[in-house]
mmCIF file of all heavy atoms in Angstrom:
data_model
loop_
_atom_site.group_PDB
_atom_site.id
_atom_site.type_symbol
_atom_site.label_atom_id
_atom_site.label_comp_id
_atom_site.label_asym_id
_atom_site.label_seq_id
_atom_site.Cartn_x
_atom_site.Cartn_y
_atom_site.Cartn_z
ATOM 1 N N PHE A 403 28.547 -65.200 51.440
ATOM 2 C CA PHE A 403 28.593 -66.643 51.653
ATOM 3 C C PHE A 403 27.368 -67.324 51.046
ATOM 4 O O PHE A 403 27.484 -68.371 50.388
ATOM 5 C CB PHE A 403 28.690 -66.950 53.145
ATOM 6 C CG PHE A 403 28.803 -68.415 53.466
ATOM 7 C CD1 PHE A 403 29.855 -69.174 52.973
ATOM 8 C CD2 PHE A 403 27.856 -69.042 54.271
ATOM 9 C CE1 PHE A 403 29.968 -70.526 53.270
ATOM 10 C CE2 PHE A 403 27.960 -70.391 54.576
ATOM 11 C CZ PHE A 403 29.014 -71.141 54.076
ATOM 12 N N LYS A 404 26.206 -66.722 51.246
ATOM 13 C CA LYS A 404 24.991 -67.306 50.675
ATOM 14 C C LYS A 404 24.977 -67.188 49.155
ATOM 15 O O LYS A 404 24.522 -68.100 48.454
ATOM 16 C CB LYS A 404 23.755 -66.646 51.286
ATOM 17 C CG LYS A 404 23.534 -67.049 52.738
ATOM 18 C CD LYS A 404 22.316 -66.385 53.345
ATOM 19 C CE LYS A 404 22.091 -66.882 54.774
ATOM 20 N NZ LYS A 404 20.960 -66.185 55.447
ATOM 21 N N ASN A 405 25.504 -66.086 48.636
ATOM 22 C CA ASN A 405 25.569 -65.932 47.181
ATOM 23 C C ASN A 405 26.601 -66.858 46.559
ATOM 24 O O ASN A 405 26.438 -67.307 45.420
ATOM 25 C CB ASN A 405 25.869 -64.478 46.810
ATOM 26 C CG ASN A 405 24.646 -63.594 46.924
ATOM 27 O OD1 ASN A 405 23.510 -64.078 46.980
ATOM 28 N ND2 ASN A 405 24.856 -62.292 46.979
ATOM 29 N N LEU A 406 27.670 -67.130 47.289
ATOM 30 C CA LEU A 406 28.662 -68.080 46.802
ATOM 31 C C LEU A 406 27.989 -69.423 46.513
ATOM 32 O O LEU A 406 28.273 -70.079 45.498
ATOM 33 C CB LEU A 406 29.759 -68.247 47.847
ATOM 34 C CG LEU A 406 30.997 -69.056 47.457
ATOM 35 C CD1 LEU A 406 31.760 -68.375 46.329
ATOM 36 C CD2 LEU A 406 31.901 -69.244 48.664
ATOM 37 N N GLN A 407 27.075 -69.804 47.381
ATOM 38 C CA GLN A 407 26.363 -71.066 47.206
ATOM 39 C C GLN A 407 25.239 -70.963 46.173
ATOM 40 O O GLN A 407 25.108 -71.812 45.288
ATOM 41 C CB GLN A 407 25.785 -71.522 48.547
ATOM 42 C CG GLN A 407 26.834 -71.759 49.621
ATOM 43 C CD GLN A 407 26.223 -72.005 50.978
ATOM 44 O OE1 GLN A 407 25.722 -73.083 51.267
ATOM 45 N NE2 GLN A 407 26.247 -70.989 51.834
ATOM 46 N N ALA A 408 24.439 -69.908 46.275
ATOM 47 C CA ALA A 408 23.254 -69.805 45.424
ATOM 48 C C ALA A 408 23.573 -69.434 43.986
ATOM 49 O O ALA A 408 22.938 -69.926 43.046
ATOM 50 C CB ALA A 408 22.284 -68.773 46.019
ATOM 51 N N LEU A 409 24.560 -68.570 43.788
ATOM 52 C CA LEU A 409 24.868 -68.066 42.454
ATOM 53 C C LEU A 409 26.000 -68.826 41.776
ATOM 54 O O LEU A 409 26.021 -68.926 40.543
ATOM 55 C CB LEU A 409 25.227 -66.576 42.511
ATOM 56 C CG LEU A 409 24.080 -65.556 42.556
ATOM 57 C CD1 LEU A 409 23.186 -65.769 43.768
ATOM 58 C CD2 LEU A 409 24.646 -64.132 42.582
ATOM 59 N N HIS A 410 26.932 -69.361 42.568
ATOM 60 C CA HIS A 410 28.146 -69.906 41.952
ATOM 61 C C HIS A 410 28.412 -71.385 42.209
ATOM 62 O O HIS A 410 29.275 -71.956 41.533
ATOM 63 C CB HIS A 410 29.358 -69.079 42.398
ATOM 64 C CG HIS A 410 29.358 -67.696 41.843
ATOM 65 N ND1 HIS A 410 29.715 -67.418 40.547
ATOM 66 C CD2 HIS A 410 28.992 -66.509 42.401
ATOM 67 C CE1 HIS A 410 29.591 -66.117 40.324
ATOM 68 N NE2 HIS A 410 29.156 -65.548 41.434
ATOM 69 N N PHE A 411 27.707 -72.004 43.145
ATOM 70 C CA PHE A 411 27.984 -73.416 43.396
ATOM 71 C C PHE A 411 27.041 -74.300 42.611
ATOM 72 O O PHE A 411 25.816 -74.234 42.766
ATOM 73 C CB PHE A 411 27.878 -73.752 44.884
ATOM 74 C CG PHE A 411 28.382 -75.130 45.218
ATOM 75 C CD1 PHE A 411 29.733 -75.424 45.125
ATOM 76 C CD2 PHE A 411 27.501 -76.140 45.593
ATOM 77 C CE1 PHE A 411 30.208 -76.696 45.411
ATOM 78 C CE2 PHE A 411 27.970 -77.411 45.889
ATOM 79 C CZ PHE A 411 29.332 -77.689 45.796
ATOM 80 N N ASN A 412 27.613 -75.129 41.752
ATOM 81 C CA ASN A 412 26.833 -76.120 41.011
ATOM 82 C C ASN A 412 26.831 -77.401 41.841
ATOM 83 O O ASN A 412 27.829 -78.114 41.894
ATOM 84 C CB ASN A 412 27.452 -76.362 39.633
ATOM 85 C CG ASN A 412 26.617 -77.294 38.769
ATOM 86 O OD1 ASN A 412 26.309 -78.409 39.166
ATOM 87 N ND2 ASN A 412 26.275 -76.828 37.580
ATOM 88 N N SER A 413 25.728 -77.656 42.518
ATOM 89 C CA SER A 413 25.671 -78.766 43.471
ATOM 90 C C SER A 413 25.789 -80.123 42.793
ATOM 91 O O SER A 413 26.322 -81.076 43.375
ATOM 92 C CB SER A 413 24.379 -78.696 44.290
ATOM 93 O OG SER A 413 23.245 -78.701 43.434
ATOM 94 N N LYS A 414 25.310 -80.228 41.566
ATOM 95 C CA LYS A 414 25.396 -81.497 40.848
ATOM 96 C C LYS A 414 26.847 -81.841 40.528
ATOM 97 O O LYS A 414 27.291 -82.989 40.711
ATOM 98 C CB LYS A 414 24.575 -81.438 39.559
ATOM 99 C CG LYS A 414 24.558 -82.741 38.790
ATOM 100 C CD LYS A 414 23.679 -82.630 37.545
ATOM 101 C CE LYS A 414 23.680 -83.942 36.767
ATOM 102 N NZ LYS A 414 22.827 -83.857 35.540
ATOM 103 N N ALA A 415 27.599 -80.849 40.062
ATOM 104 C CA ALA A 415 29.000 -81.079 39.708
ATOM 105 C C ALA A 415 29.908 -81.003 40.929
ATOM 106 O O ALA A 415 30.995 -81.585 40.936
ATOM 107 C CB ALA A 415 29.448 -80.064 38.669
ATOM 108 N N GLY A 416 29.480 -80.272 41.948
ATOM 109 C CA GLY A 416 30.300 -80.121 43.150
ATOM 110 C C GLY A 416 31.420 -79.118 42.998
ATOM 111 O O GLY A 416 32.529 -79.323 43.514
ATOM 112 N N THR A 417 31.141 -78.012 42.292
ATOM 113 C CA THR A 417 32.187 -77.018 42.057
ATOM 114 C C THR A 417 31.588 -75.630 41.925
ATOM 115 O O THR A 417 30.386 -75.466 41.662
ATOM 116 C CB THR A 417 32.979 -77.356 40.788
ATOM 117 O OG1 THR A 417 34.089 -76.460 40.665
ATOM 118 C CG2 THR A 417 32.111 -77.231 39.544
ATOM 119 N N PHE A 418 32.445 -74.628 42.078
ATOM 120 C CA PHE A 418 32.052 -73.239 41.879
ATOM 121 C C PHE A 418 32.314 -72.843 40.432
ATOM 122 O O PHE A 418 33.360 -73.166 39.866
ATOM 123 C CB PHE A 418 32.829 -72.314 42.822
ATOM 124 C CG PHE A 418 32.505 -72.524 44.267
ATOM 125 C CD1 PHE A 418 33.365 -73.244 45.088
ATOM 126 C CD2 PHE A 418 31.337 -72.029 44.815
ATOM 127 C CE1 PHE A 418 33.075 -73.458 46.422
ATOM 128 C CE2 PHE A 418 31.022 -72.234 46.147
ATOM 129 C CZ PHE A 418 31.902 -72.954 46.957
ATOM 130 N N VAL A 419 31.366 -72.130 39.842
ATOM 131 C CA VAL A 419 31.496 -71.682 38.455
ATOM 132 C C VAL A 419 31.805 -70.192 38.422
ATOM 133 O O VAL A 419 31.529 -69.458 39.369
ATOM 134 C CB VAL A 419 30.225 -71.991 37.641
ATOM 135 C CG1 VAL A 419 29.995 -73.492 37.575
ATOM 136 C CG2 VAL A 419 29.005 -71.277 38.228
ATOM 137 N N ASP A 420 32.345 -69.756 37.281
ATOM 138 C CA ASP A 420 32.898 -68.409 37.176
ATOM 139 C C ASP A 420 31.878 -67.284 37.245
ATOM 140 O O ASP A 420 32.155 -66.235 37.828
ATOM 141 C CB ASP A 420 33.663 -68.260 35.855
ATOM 142 C CG ASP A 420 34.849 -69.181 35.750
ATOM 143 O OD1 ASP A 420 35.272 -69.740 36.782
ATOM 144 O OD2 ASP A 420 35.364 -69.355 34.630
ATOM 145 N N ARG A 421 30.713 -67.480 36.600
ATOM 146 C CA ARG A 421 29.798 -66.351 36.432
ATOM 147 C C ARG A 421 28.348 -66.725 36.722
ATOM 148 O O ARG A 421 27.933 -67.876 36.542
ATOM 149 C CB ARG A 421 29.873 -65.795 34.996
ATOM 150 C CG ARG A 421 31.144 -65.041 34.688
ATOM 151 C CD ARG A 421 31.198 -64.595 33.233
ATOM 152 N NE ARG A 421 30.233 -63.554 32.911
ATOM 153 C CZ ARG A 421 30.446 -62.244 33.096
ATOM 154 N NH1 ARG A 421 31.593 -61.828 33.605
ATOM 155 N NH2 ARG A 421 29.531 -61.360 32.766
ATOM 156 N N PHE A 422 27.611 -65.731 37.139
ATOM 157 C CA PHE A 422 26.154 -65.787 37.241
ATOM 158 C C PHE A 422 25.647 -64.552 36.534
ATOM 159 O O PHE A 422 25.984 -63.422 36.914
ATOM 160 C CB PHE A 422 25.707 -65.792 38.705
ATOM 161 C CG PHE A 422 24.215 -65.752 38.894
ATOM 162 C CD1 PHE A 422 23.485 -66.929 38.977
ATOM 163 C CD2 PHE A 422 23.536 -64.544 38.978
ATOM 164 C CE1 PHE A 422 22.105 -66.900 39.149
ATOM 165 C CE2 PHE A 422 22.166 -64.501 39.147
ATOM 166 C CZ PHE A 422 21.439 -65.684 39.234
ATOM 167 N N SER A 423 24.869 -64.759 35.490
ATOM 168 C CA SER A 423 24.421 -63.622 34.688
ATOM 169 C C SER A 423 23.018 -63.871 34.161
ATOM 170 O O SER A 423 22.687 -64.993 33.745
ATOM 171 C CB SER A 423 25.382 -63.405 33.506
ATOM 172 O OG SER A 423 25.010 -62.291 32.745
ATOM 173 N N GLU A 424 22.199 -62.827 34.231
ATOM 174 C CA GLU A 424 20.823 -62.885 33.733
ATOM 175 C C GLU A 424 20.063 -64.064 34.332
ATOM 176 O O GLU A 424 19.324 -64.776 33.645
ATOM 177 C CB GLU A 424 20.811 -62.946 32.206
ATOM 178 C CG GLU A 424 21.425 -61.713 31.567
ATOM 179 C CD GLU A 424 21.407 -61.762 30.052
ATOM 180 O OE1 GLU A 424 21.089 -62.835 29.499
ATOM 181 O OE2 GLU A 424 21.716 -60.736 29.429
ATOM 182 N N GLY A 425 20.266 -64.278 35.602
ATOM 183 C CA GLY A 425 19.519 -65.301 36.321
ATOM 184 C C GLY A 425 20.014 -66.713 36.151
ATOM 185 O O GLY A 425 19.382 -67.658 36.647
ATOM 186 N N LYS A 426 21.162 -66.910 35.484
ATOM 187 C CA LYS A 426 21.640 -68.263 35.221
ATOM 188 C C LYS A 426 23.113 -68.420 35.615
ATOM 189 O O LYS A 426 23.909 -67.506 35.447
ATOM 190 C CB LYS A 426 21.482 -68.615 33.739
ATOM 191 C CG LYS A 426 20.043 -68.643 33.251
ATOM 192 C CD LYS A 426 19.999 -69.013 31.772
ATOM 193 C CE LYS A 426 18.559 -69.038 31.263
ATOM 194 N NZ LYS A 426 18.498 -69.383 29.818
ATOM 195 N N GLN A 427 23.421 -69.614 36.116
ATOM 196 C CA GLN A 427 24.807 -69.953 36.387
ATOM 197 C C GLN A 427 25.540 -70.230 35.082
ATOM 198 O O GLN A 427 24.982 -70.811 34.153
ATOM 199 C CB GLN A 427 24.900 -71.213 37.253
ATOM 200 C CG GLN A 427 24.697 -71.006 38.720
ATOM 201 C CD GLN A 427 25.020 -72.275 39.518
ATOM 202 O OE1 GLN A 427 25.243 -73.333 38.955
ATOM 203 N NE2 GLN A 427 25.032 -72.139 40.837
ATOM 204 N N GLY A 428 26.796 -69.817 35.044
ATOM 205 C CA GLY A 428 27.631 -70.171 33.920
ATOM 206 C C GLY A 428 28.039 -71.632 33.971
ATOM 207 O O GLY A 428 27.759 -72.341 34.946
ATOM 208 N N GLN A 429 28.752 -72.057 32.956
ATOM 209 C CA GLN A 429 29.129 -73.469 32.844
ATOM 210 C C GLN A 429 30.636 -73.679 32.839
ATOM 211 O O GLN A 429 31.097 -74.772 32.524
ATOM 212 C CB GLN A 429 28.522 -74.059 31.564
ATOM 213 C CG GLN A 429 27.009 -74.124 31.575
ATOM 214 C CD GLN A 429 26.486 -75.096 32.619
ATOM 215 O OE1 GLN A 429 26.794 -76.281 32.592
ATOM 216 N NE2 GLN A 429 25.707 -74.595 33.565
ATOM 217 N N HIS A 430 31.392 -72.641 33.190
ATOM 218 C CA HIS A 430 32.846 -72.787 33.172
ATOM 219 C C HIS A 430 33.422 -72.650 34.569
ATOM 220 O O HIS A 430 32.971 -71.837 35.386
ATOM 221 C CB HIS A 430 33.503 -71.757 32.253
ATOM 222 C CG HIS A 430 34.968 -71.977 32.058
ATOM 223 N ND1 HIS A 430 35.934 -71.354 32.836
ATOM 224 C CD2 HIS A 430 35.642 -72.785 31.193
ATOM 225 C CE1 HIS A 430 37.135 -71.765 32.455
ATOM 226 N NE2 HIS A 430 36.990 -72.624 31.454
ATOM 227 N N VAL A 431 34.448 -73.471 34.836
ATOM 228 C CA VAL A 431 35.170 -73.452 36.105
ATOM 229 C C VAL A 431 36.609 -73.036 35.833
ATOM 230 O O VAL A 431 37.286 -73.668 35.012
ATOM 231 C CB VAL A 431 35.171 -74.846 36.760
ATOM 232 C CG1 VAL A 431 35.948 -74.816 38.082
ATOM 233 C CG2 VAL A 431 33.764 -75.360 36.957
ATOM 234 N N SER A 432 37.081 -71.979 36.471
ATOM 235 C CA SER A 432 38.485 -71.584 36.384
ATOM 236 C C SER A 432 39.210 -72.108 37.612
ATOM 237 O O SER A 432 38.798 -71.836 38.749
ATOM 238 C CB SER A 432 38.622 -70.058 36.308
ATOM 239 O OG SER A 432 38.148 -69.575 35.074
#
Side-chain angles (χ1 to χ4, degrees):
F403 182 59
K404 289 179 177 176
N405 282 343
L406 188 64
Q407 299 171 77
L409 278 59
H410 292 283
F411 190 69
N412 185 304
S413 57
K414 183 178 179 180
T417 187
F418 294 102
V419 297
D420 297 345
R421 288 176 69 85
F422 176 90
S423 182
E424 298 180 350
K426 297 180 180 179
Q427 279 189 352
Q429 294 294 301
H430 188 266
V431 179
S432 290

